[in-house]
Amino acid sequence: MPGSARTRWLAIAPGRVNLIGEHTDYNGLPVFPIAIDRDVRIDFTIADDPVVRLDSPLARFDPFAFQLKRPIEAASQGHWSNYVRAAARGLLEHGVELRRGIVGTVTGDVPIASGLSSSSALVVASALALLKANGATLPRLELAALMARAERFVGLEGGGMDQAACLHGVAGHALRIDFEPLRVTPVAVPEGWRWVVASSLVRAEKSGGAREAYNERARQCREALAGLADRSTDGMPAYRDLMAADDLDRVLRRARRTLAPVLFRRFRHVVTEGRRVAQAEVAVGDGDVRRFGHLMVQSHESLRDDYEVSTGKLDAIVEVALDAGAAGARLTGAGFGGCAVALCDDTTVGPVMEALVARFYQPRLRGPPVGRVVFAVEPSPGARVEEA
Ligand code: NG1
C-alpha cells in the first residue's frame, strides 16, 4: 500500500516558459521550452475512499470535492476544479483504477493565466498525486501525452507542450519536444544565459475569453493544410511533411498563391516558426546568444503580424527589453496577454529588469509594481512527488 493514511505527500509540478516554437505543438511541429523554478504544489494525504477533496489558501479558489467514478462531470466553465477533474478523467479513461483519492491543499507561485502553464502544472500535479495514492505509475511520455489529451476537457484544442515540459524538465536544460510521437530531448543551455519573464498585466484566461481566439487559430491552421491539399492527389499533408520539403520558400510561394490572405499568414507563421526552432537549437549548441536572440525577435514579429496573438503591452515589453540590452525577447505561451520572455546575460539581466520596471510598469501602475511581475527564471527539474 502506498504510504500510510497519515503520510503527507507533496506533488510538485513546475510551470514552463516556452523559449521559441509558439503555436506549433498542435500543428505537430517542435517546441523549445524550459521547466521553471516556480511550481504548483498539492500537499495531500491519501483518502481511503475514491474522493478528491481539495482547497486553496486563495479565496477565489473555493474548496471542492468529487467522486473518482466515471463519468466525471465538468464543473462550471472556468472553475479551477476542472483541471483536477481532467487529470482524474484522463487516468480513468486510460484504465488506471482509482480506488483511493486525495485530500489536501493546492498552493503555488506560477502566475495564473500568464502563459506559464499554471493550468498544466495543476493537471500534472493532480495526476501524480492520484497515481501515488493508488500505487500506480505510468511512463512519463505516456503520462504527458495522456494529460495533454485530458486537458482538452477544459475546452482548449491545445497541443502537448506544457504537460511534456512539466514532466520532463531538467535543471540547466531546455527541452526540444517533438510530437507524433511525443519525444523530449534535453539540450544544455550555455552557462550565463539568463531568462527574464515579464507579465503584460493582462490575464489570458484560456478557460475563458482567449479560448475561442486560440481554437480559431487551430482551425485556421487545419484549413490552410486542407487548402493546400486541394491541388495534390496525396490527400491532406501534415505540417511536418511540408517542413521536410527541400525548399520551404517554394512551399510558401505556393501557399501564397493558393490560400486566402489570413490563412496564408497563419500558415507562414507556423512553418517559419518550425524552421526557427531547428535554428534555435543549433544556436544553443553553438552558444550563440545573438543568433538565438535574433530568432526570438523574429518569432515575436511573426506572432504579432502573421498569427495576430500579440498585444500592444507585449510589444512594448519586447521593445523595452531589447532597448535595455536583451539579446532577444518575445511573447511566450499562447499570447492574448500573459507574459513575455527576454534572453539576457549576467551583465544585462539587472538593467533589463530595471528598465522594465521604470519604463513599462511604473507608468502603467502609477508606482512601483506590487508582487512579482518581472523575474528571472532558471531551467528546472520536472514534476515529482515527495514525502512532505
Ligand atoms: P499557454 O499559453 O501556456 O496556455 C497554450 C497551449 C500550448 C501551446 C501554446 C502556444 C495548452 C494547455 N497550452 O499554452 O499547448 O499551444 O498555447 O504555443 O493547451
Side-chain angles (χ1 to χ4, degrees), residues 86-107:
R89 191 170 136 143
L91 292 172
L92 286 172
E93 282 179 3
H94 198 61
V96 180
E97 285 196 42
L98 299 179
R99 295 178 197 277
R100 293 171 186 278
I102 54 172
V103 176
T105 298
V106 180
T107 57

Side-chain angles (χ1 to χ4, degrees), residues 11-15 38-42 106-110 117-123 125:
I12 302 171
R38 287 177 159 244
D39 45 53
V40 168
R41 294 173 175 231
I42 308 180
V106 180
T107 57
D109 58 2
V110 187
S117 276
S118 59
S119 62
S120 300
L122 178 55
V123 171

Side-chain angles (χ1 to χ4, degrees), residues 16 18 21-26 31 114-117 119-120 151 156-163 206 214 332-335:
R16 64 102 185 92
N18 191 18
E22 218 64 83
H23 292 278
T24 47
D25 60 352
Y26 53 83
V31 293
S114 297
L116 303 181
S117 276
S119 62
S120 300
E151 197 170 331
L156 196 73
E157 295 178 32
M161 159 166 59
D162 304 345
Q163 304 79 3
K206 245 66 95 266
Y214 181 100
T332 185

Side-chain angles (χ1 to χ4, degrees), residues 28 141 145 177-184 240:
L141 279 176
I177 304 178
D178 292 274
F179 301 94
E180 300 163 17
L182 185 63
R183 280 154 296 151
V184 181
R240 198 171 38 181

Side-chain angles (χ1 to χ4, degrees), residues 249-268:
D249 294 323
R250 204 162 60 88
V251 174
L252 280 168
R253 282 197 297 277
R254 182 161 84 88
R256 188 193 282 279
R257 285 195 307 272
T258 312
L259 300 174
V262 66
L263 293 188
F264 170 66
R265 290 202 307 278
R266 305 298 189 250
F267 179 84
R268 181 166 58 184

